Amino acid sequence: MGDGAPPSAFDADTAVEPLGDGRYRGEVTPRWDVIGGAPNGGYLVGLLLRAVAAELPAPDVLTVTAHYLDRVEHGEVTVEVEPQRTGRRHDTARARLLQAGTPRILLTATFGYLDDAEGPTAIAEPRLEVPELDECLATPPEIEVPEVLRRFDLRHDPACVGWAVGEPTGEGWMAGWIRFADGRSFDPLSLPVATDAFAPAVLNLLERIVWVPTLELTVQVRARPRTDWLRAGFRTRYLIDGYLEEDGEVRDADGNLVALSRQLALARLP
Amino acid sequence: MGDGAPPSAFDADTAVEPLGDGRYRGEVTPRWDVIGGAPNGGYLVGLLLRAVAAELPAPDVLTVTAHYLDRVEHGEVTVEVEPQRTGRRHDTARARLLQAGTPRILLTATFGYLDDAEGPTAIAEPRLEVPELDECLATPPEIEVPEVLRRFDLRHDPACVGWAVGEPTGEGWMAGWIRFADGRSFDPLSLPVATDAFAPAVLNLLERIVWVPTLELTVQVRARPRTDWLRAGFRTRYLIDGYLEEDGEVRDADGNLVALSRQLALARLP
């Protein structure tokens, strides 16, 4: 951003201002709203992580867990960060997002040094079953999308779009490609939002549309993406008594794993 | 325990004594040591959850995340619990385990009401590829096992034991059956230890033995087990520069999903 270019929407809307003693002020904008007017959970994790990153020596989030306690409204929020340990390879902090004096999100994150990671590599699962980018479909312009989807260029696996016309696949799988619409590249801080931007995979498991509020989201960042486009797939295998997991896998266009995500969410009938 | 029977090892060793203001005193025993003399991470989660459960109205842990900051030694520990929100269906708290004045484990947990959960059910993946109990193998008595394994009756999928004789499968899969050795039944509070008791799945991915310290463990409890024996499988797909995920799936003997786990761990050469 040193070249005078305006910051990306993500950088602008996750910016935090230090208030001292590990406290930060942020502003939740409507630009990341999902259906129903609530801010996207991955965007809010990004805002919290901006504050955490400012308090820890290590540069890269490796694993982050957020518990969503209560709805976050547009407007001012406070983030409180408490570093808990700094070490040679890993630093850990916990944080809270507060609004109107009450905690809305709890977050714990361990940061490290992605570029200096050293150790054995072995990969057992090279396949991520998502068609090539040019075989995937943009959302038709006549379809009204929630605000958060305007922040991305999203391409849908054609095998996964049936839910939108009342024909879910029954397989609990949602896949496609994603990049930021304004040209920003994904990095560790913004990978959580990539894991929370697609339509819920449960829409391809159930025969009806449900609202899917997240209780808890955990994202492991495994590498820095080398491409702007990311290939992503999300799977829900177990919807039990209204609770479901959604497991996400995100790779860059070169095929490198960049993030794994899992959330515990509710499937609520509208 | 009202009938005068001695408490199970798990209940005795996770017991905490309230000190007031959300603080609890516990005692880490050597009975749950893994190789190297460190206490099993799932056992420590159980101890923390005992303190959290005492502070929240809802009875059942639904999702819990622990970040392991530093080694926990045998002996006295303090657990600090801070409830953050109590609601109609879900309560959330964060907690820390401290020893010698420094935080060793951070934990966040959301509790709820497993028996009153209501909502749609749909399951996309009915298979968990673990052989029947009578086809699995107990550890031969001549093999010396770490102390924690004496707390369980563990039976190994015969297809997964090759790593122990220098013949890993290369598939990153470890599976078998588990019950407590002393007859205790698994419940939501003790399911995390069931997800952390088997040998690491990465031992069936790499050609060499590694030490696998956990950085972060998340467990979703999805149902109360109806049987003492649990069927479990663990998979590591991506070991990259010394970091790996391990995904666990645990079912009761009736085939019902009871827990999903995921950890971020290191693979360290000895």
Side-chain angles (χ1 to χ4, degrees):
Chain A
M1 288 182 283
D3 58 358
S8 73
F10 184 82
D11 293 319
D13 295 352
T14 59
V16 292
E17 172 196 350
L19 304 172
D21 293 328
R23 296 176 69 247
Y24 292 80
R25 186 194 162 285
E27 182 84 16
V28 171
T29 82
R31 291 204 284 181
W32 304 84
D33 280 4
V34 299
I35 289 171
N40 173 274
Y43 156 59
L44 295 172
V45 165
L47 192 154
L48 278 146
L49 285 176
R50 289 286 292 274
V52 172
E55 294 281 328
L56 295 180
D60 303 313
V61 59
L62 302 184
T63 177
V64 56
T65 292
H67 285 244
Y68 298 89
L69 312 188
D70 211 343
R71 182 181 171 118
V72 176
E73 311 288 347
H74 304 141
E76 186 171 330
V77 296
T78 304
V79 179
E80 296 176 351
V81 184
E82 299 171 281
Q84 297 292 309
R85 183 174 189 270
T86 57
R88 191 173 60 82
R89 296 175 64 182
H90 302 116
D91 305 328
T92 303
R94 58 183 190 177
R96 301 195 300 174
L97 184 148
L98 297 103
Q99 199 169 42
T102 65
R104 307 296 172 104
I105 300 175
L106 305 183
L107 180 140
T108 310
T110 292
F111 277 54
Y113 300 82
L114 276 177
D115 298 330
D116 298 330
E118 278 184 6
T121 293
I123 293 175
E125 175 54 60
R127 288 171 298 117
L128 175 62
E129 302 290 356
V130 181
E132 295 304 316
L133 177 60
D134 60 9
E135 299 166 33
C136 289
L137 309 172
T139 304
E142 66 272 20
I143 293 185
E144 197 171 338
V145 298
E147 195 60 25
V148 61
L149 291 188
R150 300 183 192 280
R151 305 285 82 76
F152 302 106
D153 190 355
L154 257 181
R155 304 292 169 88
H156 309 277
D157 178 346
C160 296
V161 299
W163 68 270
V165 292
E167 295 172 8
T169 63
E171 293 186 351
W173 175 247
M174 197 71 74
W177 293 75
I178 185 171
R179 66 175 174 182
F180 278 114
D182 60 11
R184 187 191 196 280
S185 301
F186 281 106
D187 55 7
L189 216 71
S190 56
L191 278 171
V193 77
T195 74
D196 199 32
F198 285 81
V202 72
L203 298 180
N204 269 330
L205 182 60
L206 270 183
E207 288 295 320
R208 51 197 299 185
I209 301 290
V210 288
W211 176 52
V212 187
T214 304
L215 294 174
E216 174 257 314
L217 168 66
T218 296
V219 181
Q220 295 184 4
V221 173
R222 302 295 295 276
R224 199 179 308 285
R226 297 182 197 164
T227 62
D228 287 350
W229 277 110
L230 303 180
R231 189 194 297 243
F234 301 88
R235 188 174 294 284
T236 293
R237 296 180 299 152
Y238 298 100
L239 168 63
I240 302 174
D241 295 336
Y243 290 84
L244 63 93
E245 90 288 352
E246 182 175 288
D247 289 352
E249 178 171 340
V250 185
R251 302 199 188 192
D252 66 19
D254 295 340
N256 303 302
L257 178 74
V258 294
L260 294 174
S261 65
R262 172 174 283 171
Q263 53 177 272
L264 179 66
L266 298 173
R268 285 200 173 151
L269 303 176
Chain B
M1 288 182 282
D3 58 0
S8 73
F10 184 82
D11 293 319
D13 295 351
T14 59
V16 291
E17 173 196 350
L19 303 172
D21 292 327
R23 297 177 68 247
Y24 292 80
R25 186 193 162 283
E27 182 85 17
V28 172
T29 82
R31 293 205 281 183
W32 305 83
D33 280 3
V34 300
I35 290 170
N40 173 274
Y43 156 59
L44 296 172
V45 166
L47 192 154
L48 278 146
L49 285 177
R50 289 285 292 276
V52 172
E55 294 282 327
L56 294 181
D60 303 314
V61 59
L62 302 185
T63 178
V64 55
T65 291
H67 285 243
Y68 298 90
L69 310 188
D70 210 342
R71 183 181 170 115
V72 177
E73 310 288 346
H74 304 140
E76 187 170 331
V77 296
T78 304
V79 178
E80 295 175 353
V81 183
E82 297 172 281
Q84 296 291 312
R85 183 173 189 270
T86 57
R88 193 173 59 84
R89 296 174 64 181
H90 301 116
D91 305 327
T92 303
R94 59 184 190 175
R96 302 196 299 173
L97 183 147
L98 298 104
Q99 199 169 43
T102 65
R104 308 295 173 103
I105 300 175
L106 305 183
L107 180 140
T108 309
T110 292
F111 278 54
Y113 300 82
L114 276 178
D115 299 331
D116 298 330
E118 277 183 7
T121 294
I123 294 175
E125 175 55 60
R127 288 171 301 116
L128 174 61
E129 302 290 354
V130 181
E132 295 304 316
L133 177 60
D134 60 9
E135 299 165 34
C136 289
L137 309 171
T139 305
E142 65 272 19
I143 293 184
E144 197 171 338
V145 297
E147 193 61 24
V148 62
L149 290 188
R150 302 183 191 279
R151 306 285 81 77
F152 302 106
D153 190 354
L154 256 183
R155 304 293 169 86
H156 309 276
D157 178 345
C160 296
V161 299
W163 68 270
V165 292
E167 294 173 8
T169 63
E171 293 185 353
W173 175 247
M174 196 72 73
W177 292 76
I178 186 170
R179 65 177 173 181
F180 278 115
D182 60 10
R184 188 192 195 281
S185 302
F186 281 106
D187 55 8
L189 216 71
S190 56
L191 278 172
V193 76
T195 74
D196 199 32
F198 285 80
V202 72
L203 298 181
N204 269 330
L205 183 59
L206 271 183
E207 288 294 319
R208 51 196 300 184
I209 301 290
V210 287
W211 176 52
V212 187
T214 304
L215 293 175
E216 175 257 313
L217 169 66
T218 296
V219 181
Q220 295 184 3
V221 173
R222 302 296 295 278
R224 199 180 306 288
R226 297 182 195 164
T227 62
D228 287 350
W229 277 110
L230 302 180
R231 189 194 296 243
F234 301 89
R235 186 172 297 284
T236 293
R237 296 180 299 153
Y238 298 99
L239 168 62
I240 301 173
D241 296 337
Y243 290 84
L244 63 94
E245 90 289 353
E246 182 176 288
D247 288 353
E249 178 171 338
V250 185
R251 302 200 188 191
D252 66 19
D254 296 340
N256 303 301
L257 179 73
V258 295
L260 294 173
S261 65
R262 173 173 283 171
Q263 52 177 275
L264 179 66
L266 299 173
R268 286 201 172 151
L269 302 175

